[in-house]
Amino acid sequence: MTVKVLAGVCSFALLSAPCAFANVVINFHGRIDLVQKQFDVTLDFPGNFADAAPGKLEDKRPSVAISGVKLSDKDYRFSLTIDHLRTPVFDLLSRVESSVEVDPRPPDESAPAVRGEIWSRNSLVDYKPIHELTGQFEIKDSQLVLKSVSLGNLSCDGSLDLVYPYKMDMKVLLHDVAMEDFLNFWVRGKDYKSFGAVSGEIGVSGTWDRIGLRGSLESHDGYVEELEYNSIHLNAKGVYPRLNIGQSTISKADGLSFTFSGPVDLSDQENFRKQIGALVLAPLVSGSASEREWTIKRLDQPNSGSTKIKYLLRKDDKLNESSGMIGVEQTMNF
């Protein structure tokens, strides 16, 4: 089994490397001990020294070391040591370990069931410590099932088929993710001055070539560039990269409240600002059988409660049309 694992690792490394004529992309070396039933392999990646921050291990070559050992007929132990691997989003250093149990193959099944736990320690993202990776997983009937897998401010549950077309059904929970990190993930290569945290849920379903997203997110007391807000409630769904925003609201720091909606194409990074500017804004409106209500201003004061100013448009009970009577209501909560 260790030979197959090593072969798979090497194949992945070769297939993942971009094509280059006579250029060394990834070096790897390792060993297989058939007596002790263990293996280890190290992948050395080319370092991007030009982009290294001053004093941040400029001459350190990124690497990933993988090792595994067979403890018994059904128990295995694997470890993954990531040494300052630079991804498109962040610099990662971590040691990830996994304990795996393989059930004997049942007579009516073509492959054994695999279940295990995964955890990390001493993890750094951009040289800062984060909450460690923890979780459980199971592989059965050509499907990977993730159970309470969490990393940093994210947690995930769901399933992924390991055969074509690789269907998935997952739920990702965000717990106070920094607004800066949230924007950097969706909009690459653009630096937005921002502050605040994002929480909520993103559903991921479909196949690799058609990933459906459905998100319900919120953020409070922050800003993005010149936009300062008390709260944002965002609801969006669609097939990546084209999403449609609907039934979303924003309360600005000056108290003005709006709904916003419209399409967003995440693949059009160059015109992302224009797309946001093209969203449809409308006053926050609620209605009943007798009136319609616009919340024009909503001010939350730290020590004196909140003040809300509303404009009421009365309806004619007989004609069910606007009667032209407008009222103003101001409420104060303590």
Side-chain angles (χ1 to χ4, degrees), residues 85-99:
L85 180 64
R86 186 67 189 175
T87 73
V89 183
F90 49 73
D91 179 282
L92 176 62
L93 184 148
S94 182
R95 181 176 177 85
V96 181
E97 299 186 32
S98 179
S99 176

Side-chain angles (χ1 to χ4, degrees), residues 48-60 84 86 91 126-127:
N48 189 1
F49 307 138
D51 295 337
K56 299 293 186 178
L57 302 176
E58 293 91 338
D59 57 349
K60 181 65 177 178
H84 291 289
R86 186 67 189 175
D91 179 282
D126 288 336
Y127 305 91

Side-chain angles (χ1 to χ4, degrees), residues 1 8 96 111 196 255 258 263 291 334:
M1 179 176 179
V96 181
F258 300 93
E291 65 183 23
F334 299 93

Side-chain angles (χ1 to χ4, degrees), residues 18 63-64 102 104-105 136 147 221 243 287 303-304 312:
S63 65
V64 174
V102 180
R105 182 181 303 177
Q136 297 82 42
K147 303 177 181 178
D221 301 323
L243 304 179
N303 300 321
S304 59
L312 308 178

Side-chain angles (χ1 to χ4, degrees), residues 73-133:
D73 289 339
K74 63 177 184 178
D75 296 318
Y76 298 82
R77 186 73 173 265
F78 299 94
S79 67
L80 178 69
T81 302
I82 304 171
D83 191 2
H84 291 289
L85 180 64
R86 186 67 189 175
T87 73
V89 183
F90 49 73
D91 179 282
L92 176 62
L93 184 148
S94 182
R95 181 176 177 85
V96 181
E97 299 186 32
S98 179
S99 176
V100 177
E101 178 183 350
V102 180
D103 283 347
R105 182 181 303 177
D108 57 341
E109 296 185 13
S110 58
V114 177
R115 64 178 59 90
E117 297 183 0
I118 188 170
W119 64 93
S120 69
R121 51 191 175 92
N122 303 326
S123 299
L124 298 177
V125 170
D126 288 336
Y127 305 91
K128 298 177 183 178
I130 62 171
H131 297 296
E132 299 292 352
L133 168 69

Side-chain angles (χ1 to χ4, degrees), residues 200-217:
E201 176 181 317
I202 299 177
V204 184
S205 60
T207 59
W208 281 117
D209 58 347
R210 187 175 174 82
I211 300 177
L213 299 176
R214 178 185 294 270
S216 178
L217 306 171

